[in-house]
Amino acid sequence: MEIRPVTGVFGAEVLGVRLARLTESELADVREAMCRFEVVVFRSQHLSPAEQSEFSRRLGESAETPFVRTMDDHPDVIRVVKEADEGAAFNFGGAWHSDFSFLEHPPSFTILAAVDVPPYGGDTMFASMSAAWRALDHATQESLRALQAVHTARDAYSRRMQPVHSGMRGMMIECDDSANDERRHPLVRRHGETGETVLFFNRAYVRDLDGLDRSEAVELLNFLHAHTTDAVFTYRHRWLSGDVVVWDNRSTQHLALNDYAGFRRELTRTTVAGEVPLPA
Ligand code: SIN
């Protein structure tokens, strides 16, 4: 197994392994690479949904998949698909986020496998939340440590958002009132496996900060969004059919770009349940 970093900050390509046939010792090495590099790319894997599901379960129990209907035969696999004629319709994952961060046990890892990708466009961008944390000055770090972030799916999956999702033919998204629930997680989190300190923040689901008045909170949310998505903390993945990308959802945010009107894009996604986020 060979590991080649893809930026000077985070992300790596892992060569010389077949995810569908990993030995226990390869699995341990791959897991360590996923935690250390935060985003890991495996080329030419062509995983079937069953193989993806099995690989995912070897990493841990499946996470809940609220709001998004999974494949009939594979209840832990989501098809992320936009058809060629769906134009500039809503793009699943098209705002910076970390997957389902509003859950009690937000996913530790997400596995995304490319089935059918456009000849250009539809890249996925990632941002390292450990690098974003390390770049803050000490005083800012200390002021953030005390804060609880309020995560909610309200602005993504509440009932008023149903028409936006219903525009997609290939994905079934069912908005409901549970999207209005709020969950508090520490803004500065200790990664459960590496012990690293990370900013557990994403603008899509973190809609408030406890203990600040609204205008202070909005100002800080805007700062955190701009800071954490600065180009210097990002890696942009150009998909090839057969790719599998695994990201550590505890230490990254991501964004699916919507610049491939006229082309079909299909990937399959699984998520692994993570720990309850603890403060750093
Ligand atoms: C997602 O946010 O899980 C989907 C990302 C993508 O389609 O690139």
Side-chain angles (χ1 to χ4, degrees):
M1 179 169 134
E2 187 190 342
I3 299 180
R4 288 192 199 150
V6 292
T7 78
V9 176
F10 75 127
E13 186 169 335
V14 174
L15 297 95
V17 289
R18 302 286 317 154
L19 293 178
R21 288 195 288 275
L22 287 182
T23 63
E24 283 304 313
S25 114
E26 285 173 331
L27 181 68
D29 290 348
V30 159
R31 187 179 189 109
E32 195 191 323
M34 289 171 347
C35 289
R36 172 163 168 227
F37 289 94
E38 302 177 343
V39 176
V40 171
V41 176
F42 304 88
R43 299 283 189 187
S44 303
Q45 299 291 322
H46 298 281
L47 288 185
S48 67
E51 289 169 334
Q52 177 171 354
S53 175
E54 195 189 328
F55 168 57
S56 192
R57 282 160 193 264
R58 290 183 77 189
L59 294 172
E61 199 182 313
S62 300
E64 293 170 57
T65 53
F67 311 115
V68 187
R69 179 139 352 138
T70 55
M71 293 176 82
D72 289 343
D73 299 344
H74 303 283
D76 53 343
V77 182
I78 292 174
R79 268 175 83 227
V80 176
V81 61
K82 188 150 84 78
E83 301 296 342
D85 62 356
E86 286 187 284
F90 178 80
N91 196 40
F92 183 74
W96 281 105
H97 66 288
S98 61
D99 292 325
F100 299 147
S101 69
F102 48 84
L103 294 176
E104 185 183 6
H105 294 261
S108 49
F109 300 109
T110 298
I111 297 108
L112 194 60
V115 178
D116 189 12
V117 291
Y120 55 83
D123 297 354
T124 306
M125 296 198 61
F126 296 92
S128 166
M129 303 300 278
S130 61
W133 165 256
R134 287 191 297 273
L136 293 169
D137 63 61
H138 183 69
T140 307
Q141 287 183 339
E142 288 313 299
S143 66
L144 298 182
R145 270 184 201 280
L147 297 175
Q148 289 283 315
V150 181
H151 295 243
T152 173
R154 185 171 47 226
D155 294 318
Y157 296 116
S158 61
R159 285 187 197 277
R160 75 186 156 81
M161 299 304 289
Q162 189 64 63
V164 174
H165 298 295
S166 298
M168 287 185 297
R169 284 206 312 281
M171 293 186 72
M172 183 66 80
I173 297 192
E174 289 155 327
C175 295
D176 67 52
D177 290 336
S178 70
N180 297 319
D181 294 350
E182 294 184 342
R183 171 120 24 221
R184 276 138 183 92
H185 291 308
L187 178 62
V188 182
R189 163 180 190 183
R190 184 174 185 279
H191 188 290
E193 288 183 70
T194 62
E196 280 259 337
T197 301
V198 299
L199 276 170
F200 192 51
F201 170 80
N202 68 90
R203 194 72 172 98
Y205 300 135
V206 176
R207 306 305 294 165
D208 207 353
L209 295 163
D210 260 359
L212 301 181
D213 69 35
R214 188 63 194 151
S215 66
E216 277 179 321
V218 168
E219 194 178 326
L220 188 48
L221 293 171
N222 289 341
F223 162 77
L224 287 167
H225 177 64
H227 172 70
T228 57
T229 58
D230 188 309
V232 298
F233 309 126
T234 64
Y235 160 66
R236 177 170 176 154
H237 185 70
R238 165 92 281 273
W239 290 96
L240 297 176
S241 167
D243 283 358
V244 173
V245 175
V246 182
W247 59 89
D248 191 323
N249 197 56
R250 297 163 288 193
S251 53
T252 58
Q253 291 186 71
H254 60 281
L255 159 81
L257 293 166
N258 192 14
D259 58 349
Y260 54 99
F263 297 111
R264 186 169 195 277
R265 182 178 186 271
E266 179 183 353
L267 306 98
T268 46
R269 189 183 104 164
T270 47
T271 40
V272 179
E275 66 273 13
V276 173
L278 294 177

